[in-house]
Amino acid sequence: MFYEPKNGHGLPHNPFNALIVPRPIAWITTRDADGSENLAPYSFFNGVAYDPPQVMFATTSRKSDRALGKDTIDNIQATGVFCVHMVGEDLADAMNISSGSYPRDSDEIALAKLERVDCTTIAASRLPAAPAALECKLTQITRLRGAENLVCFGEVTGIHLRDDCLVGGIFDVTRARPLARLGYRDYTVVTDKFSLKRPDE
């Protein structure tokens, strides 16, 4: 099968998201300028630089009660900070609850019944249940082609690692068991790993 996206695919569901998998999930906490909080997951997410460490995530829709994209992007533009969490397998249901389209004054952290603590380097909440968290300061928001496509970049200013995920000084992904997004409504969990040496090692 071959199709050009501009002409449609003719399938029951768009296969595009199922072709870029598995995708890590950025579970992002933000605060509005008035102090209200938001929690939402994004699967267009990745690290983009080591030194200084930087990450990006993209949003592809908007809410009618926000000026810029969804609550997350609007909050980040207002405050300049956000916290990205890794979603452990045990947090799948809470993550799914936080993905709902709620009014802007809703507190998804409370709706998902999650504990929160203050971040260390930024003014945002952190979820201690998450295997890892990245405290970030906004560097830029870029608009992509399309009506509501935005990419947010941030520099990581603080990193939290849950102690039970550290084994011999290495972050053990099989203990963290991160959730990853597949296509459609499908997810997977990282449960095993293997290593490869590069040809020049």
Side-chain angles (χ1 to χ4, degrees):
M1 175 183 176
F2 170 78
Y3 73 94
E4 296 181 65
K6 65 181 181 180
N7 298 327
H9 46 74
L11 299 171
H13 302 283
N14 190 341
F16 177 71
N17 284 0
L19 307 178
I20 306 170
V21 294
R23 298 191 306 276
I25 299 170
W27 204 16
I28 300 177
T29 52
T30 57
R31 284 182 186 159
D32 202 342
D34 65 5
S36 60
E37 299 198 297
N38 181 260
L39 171 65
Y42 294 85
S43 66
F44 286 148
F45 161 68
N46 222 312
V48 293
Y50 279 123
D51 188 18
Q54 296 166 72
V55 297
M56 60 71 61
F57 74 95
T59 180
T60 59
S61 62
R62 74 180 301 271
K63 291 178 65 186
S64 60
D65 60 0
R66 286 296 193 178
L68 185 67
K70 298 169 77 173
D71 294 335
T72 300
I73 291 283
D74 224 42
N75 289 352
I76 292 171
Q77 186 181 51
T79 64
V81 298
F82 58 102
C83 187
V84 177
H85 301 82
M86 177 183 285
V87 182
E89 180 183 20
D90 59 323
L91 296 169
D93 289 339
M95 181 278 299
N96 194 45
I97 289 170
S98 72
S99 71
S101 295
Y102 303 106
R104 64 182 295 172
D105 59 352
S106 299
D107 184 342
E108 292 85 357
I109 301 174
L111 288 172
K113 299 179 180 178
L114 294 163
E115 178 189 359
R116 73 187 89 196
V117 296
D118 285 336
C119 286
T120 304
T121 66
I122 62 171
S125 283
R126 180 174 65 86
L127 310 176
L134 309 175
E135 299 182 4
C136 303
K137 291 187 177 179
L138 172 67
T139 57
Q140 67 187 83
I141 296 173
T142 301
R143 187 173 291 280
L144 303 178
R145 287 189 62 196
E148 303 299 341
N149 299 325
L150 298 165
V151 180
C152 177
F153 293 87
E155 180 177 336
V156 180
T157 58
I159 298 176
H160 299 267
L161 306 175
R162 213 173 60 202
D163 289 342
D164 65 297
C165 295
L166 287 171
V167 179
I170 293 175
F171 186 81
D172 188 342
V173 71
T174 62
R175 289 200 176 191
R177 297 178 68 87
L179 206 64
R181 187 71 189 273
L182 302 176
Y184 315 111
R185 294 290 182 265
D186 300 329
Y187 293 81
T188 189
V189 178
V190 179
T191 58
D192 54 59
K193 61 183 178 179
F194 63 92
S195 300
L196 294 173
K197 287 187 177 181
R198 295 181 180 181
D200 56 354
E201 288 184 308

